[in-house]
Amino acid sequence: MSGNISNEATRVMIGVNESSIKGYPHPSISSDRAFQWTLQKIVRDNLSGFKLLFLHVQVPDEDGFDDMDSIYASPDDFKSMKNREKKRGLHLLEHFVHRCHEIGIDCEAWVRKGDPQEAICHEVKRVRPDLLVVGCRGLGPFQRVFVGTVSEFCVKHAECPVITIKRHAEEMPQDPVDD
């Protein structure tokens, strides 16, 4: 190990997503928890020593609709839906960037489309952060079979150290699959 200590900021990527709870247009419980944990346990008072990298992966729907039958859609409906999804992703990232600027920590944020686990690992390979932090819903083995877990995939496949942050018990929604 070399005695040289770098003056470069430690780059921490945080995978963030929207809440799946209907009528809750905010970051997911797990994403917000991962962000808070990163600030409290890693960054602490060393704001200039870190740069946070926020990645939101939008999962494309098969037909572009949320809970709506596509048979009634016009071509213009598709355009407006794509714009709405893009705005929702940007609104999510704006939330985290705004909070970083309030406390004075450097950050970047971007959106990718695709399968979250594959996209996160691809971005880790491309961006090369020092650390990846992802939220974890804390699903049991039975639920994981049906839902899958992005955090487990990232632990196994991301090309950097990964920390998964579980939700607190009191933050658990009625349906643990919700976030």
Side-chain angles (χ1 to χ4, degrees), residues 9 11 13 27 54 73 94 97 107 114:
R11 297 167 353 115
M13 182 182 283
F54 295 98
E94 181 183 29
V97 169
C107 70

Side-chain angles (χ1 to χ4, degrees), residues 63-74 77-78 81:
D63 61 5
F65 291 87
D66 287 328
D67 301 326
M68 189 188 312
D69 193 344
S70 62
I71 198 165
Y72 300 108
S74 72
D77 290 338
F78 286 100
M81 279 180 235

Side-chain angles (χ1 to χ4, degrees), residues 13-128:
M13 182 182 283
I14 304 174
V16 297
N17 63 320
E18 292 178 311
S19 176
S20 61
I21 300 170
K22 295 285 183 194
Y24 191 74
H26 303 290
S28 69
I29 298 165
S30 300
S31 295
D32 204 47
R33 180 88 182 99
F35 173 65
Q36 291 301 329
W37 187 91
T38 300
L39 291 177
Q40 293 167 1
K41 302 296 183 181
I42 296 177
V43 174
R44 299 177 183 246
D45 293 330
N46 186 10
L47 299 176
S48 64
F50 290 89
K51 182 174 189 173
L52 301 184
L53 310 171
F54 295 98
L55 171 62
H56 171 55
V57 180
Q58 289 185 326
V59 180
D61 279 345
E62 287 181 31
D63 61 5
F65 291 87
D66 287 328
D67 301 326
M68 189 188 312
D69 193 344
S70 62
I71 198 165
Y72 300 108
S74 72
D76 289 338
D77 290 338
F78 286 100
K79 191 182 295 183
S80 67
M81 279 180 235
K82 287 179 184 174
N83 289 337
R84 185 175 62 235
E85 286 302 309
K86 184 177 182 181
K87 286 178 188 174
R88 285 176 60 188
L90 292 176
H91 178 72
L92 172 71
L93 294 176
E94 181 183 29
H95 168 80
F96 289 108
V97 169
H98 180 72
R99 288 175 68 185
C100 285
H101 281 264
E102 282 180 337
I103 61 173
I105 188 165
D106 195 19
C107 70
E108 290 180 16
W110 66 101
V111 177
R112 290 286 181 254
K113 286 191 187 272
D115 176 70
Q117 55 195 25
E118 295 286 342
I120 291 170
C121 288
H122 178 268
E123 288 299 291
V124 164
K125 191 173 190 174
R126 185 182 73 80
V127 176
R128 307 181 81 101

